[in-house]
């Protein structure tokens, strides 16, 4: 029977794959570049697969390399969890990924559900990709739809409604995000319905908030996010086509970990409270 590669060599493969080269993996692991090069070549020979395309920009994964990395998700998750526990055994760090406004909303209310005596700490990673959780790059995500991947579990928190907000009803025109490859629903709505009335754009939601507070134009945000925007008033009815359910999402196995379960309950309490 063919012998399986050592777990240590597979862990080194993950380091090279994630850092994109031998130098980065060497800094992460403490192994030398020649040692890593030798082990990666030996791993390819043993598996009979070409795992990397080697070039001046580093080690790029081949199709077979990406397939192997996908199969090592559990190994990566165990190692990441062990690293977090060992780095701070008294406080497990739970990573939350959310959009900027939602992250800020939770951060401003975190002290109502958490204290420094709790055995977990919430780390904020702004972003919206479901892949982050599937790859265990984050533990909890706040999303605008129910997860449909079998490895993700979801908890519905609230209904999110959107409307136009401005410093006064007399303000006309809109400020919004630039049209990118993956625009938000509110950005699409403004560009679809008020393209001729867009006065300026920005890449940060906080810049848009400041523009609206200064009376430059209207913004479209959730009625919940607007609670944290002093000086802005709702100047339109709720935009029904933007209404969506909000979901807390995590890996279905991780949700049973006590620190993650505690963090899920705490964040859910913030999001479902009458603010």
């Amino acid at each position: 029977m063919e012998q399986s590669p050592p777990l240590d060599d597979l862990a080194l493969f993950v380091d090279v794959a994630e850092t994109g080269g031998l130098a980065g993996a060497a800094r992460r692991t403490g192994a030398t570049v020649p040692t890593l090069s030798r082990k990666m070549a030996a791993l390819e020979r043993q598996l009979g697969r070409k795992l990397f395309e080697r070039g001046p920009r580093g080690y790029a994964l081949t199709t077979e390399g990406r397939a192997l990395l996908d199969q090592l998700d559990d190994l990566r998750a165990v190692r990441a969890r062990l690293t977090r526990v060992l780095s701070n055994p008294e406080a497990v760090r739970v990573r939350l990924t959310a959009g900027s406004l939602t992250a800020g909303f939770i951060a401003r209310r975190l002290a109502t559900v958490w204290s420094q005596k709790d055995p977990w700490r919430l780390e904020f990673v702004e972003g919206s990709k479901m892949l982050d959780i599937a790859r265990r790059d984050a533990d909890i995500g706040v999303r605008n739809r129910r997860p449909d991947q079998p490895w993700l579990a979801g908890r519905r928190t609230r209904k999110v409604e959107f409307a136009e907000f401005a410093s006064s009803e007399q303000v006309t025109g809109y400020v919004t995000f630039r049209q990118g490859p993956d625009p938000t629903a509110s950005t699409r709505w403004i560009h679809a319905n008020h393209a001729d009335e867009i006065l300026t754009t920005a890449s940060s939601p906080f810049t848009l908030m400041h523009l609206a507070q200064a009376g430059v134009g209207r913004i479209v945000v959730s009625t919940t996010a607007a609670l944290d925007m002093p000086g802005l008033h709702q100047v339109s009815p709720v935009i029904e086509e933007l209404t969506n359910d909000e979901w807390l999402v995590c890996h279905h196995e991780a949700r049973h970990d006590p620190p993650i379960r505690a963090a899920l309950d705490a964040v859910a309490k913030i999001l479902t409270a009458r603010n």
Side-chain angles (χ1 to χ4, degrees), residues 163-175 199 208-221 226 229-236:
E164 298 176 15
F165 288 82
S167 58
S168 74
E169 291 190 359
Q170 286 69 45
V171 172
T172 59
Y174 296 83
V175 294
L199 302 173
L208 294 178
M209 176 185 72
H210 296 320
L211 288 168
Q213 289 169 327
V216 173
R218 299 183 174 199
I219 57 173
V220 174
V221 294
M229 298 180 178
L232 294 184
H233 311 281
Q234 185 171 335
V235 293
S236 81

Side-chain angles (χ1 to χ4, degrees), residues 8-81:
D8 288 346
D9 289 355
L10 292 174
L12 290 176
F13 162 76
V14 171
D15 289 316
V16 175
E18 290 182 338
T19 60
L22 301 180
R27 287 191 295 270
R28 178 189 285 189
T29 65
T32 66
V33 168
T35 295
L36 290 168
S37 177
R38 185 177 66 254
K39 284 185 174 292
M40 292 305 98
L43 182 62
E44 287 180 319
R45 287 195 300 271
Q46 183 174 359
L47 295 176
R49 304 178 187 178
K50 185 177 181 181
L51 303 176
F52 299 102
E53 293 288 354
R54 295 159 175 82
R57 294 189 177 182
Y59 274 41
L61 286 174
T62 63
T63 302
E64 290 182 313
R66 287 193 297 272
L68 177 60
L69 187 64
D70 288 342
Q71 294 300 316
L72 296 176
D73 266 352
D74 289 340
L75 175 61
R76 298 163 71 197
V78 169
R79 189 176 63 174
R81 192 177 307 166

Side-chain angles (χ1 to χ4, degrees), residues 137-195:
D137 293 331
D139 301 300
I140 301 172
V142 183
R143 302 289 181 255
N144 61 5
R145 63 181 182 274
R146 185 174 190 167
D148 52 13
Q149 293 90 338
W151 54 84
L152 295 178
R155 179 194 300 190
R156 184 182 178 278
T157 56
R158 60 186 176 179
K159 186 176 292 294
V160 180
E161 297 179 330
F162 288 76
E164 298 176 15
F165 288 82
S167 58
S168 74
E169 291 190 359
Q170 286 69 45
V171 172
T172 59
Y174 296 83
V175 294
T176 186
F177 290 115
R178 302 183 186 96
Q179 275 277 49
D182 188 23
T184 65
S186 59
T187 301
R188 288 196 301 270
W189 184 86
I190 292 177
H191 282 268
N193 295 278
H194 300 281

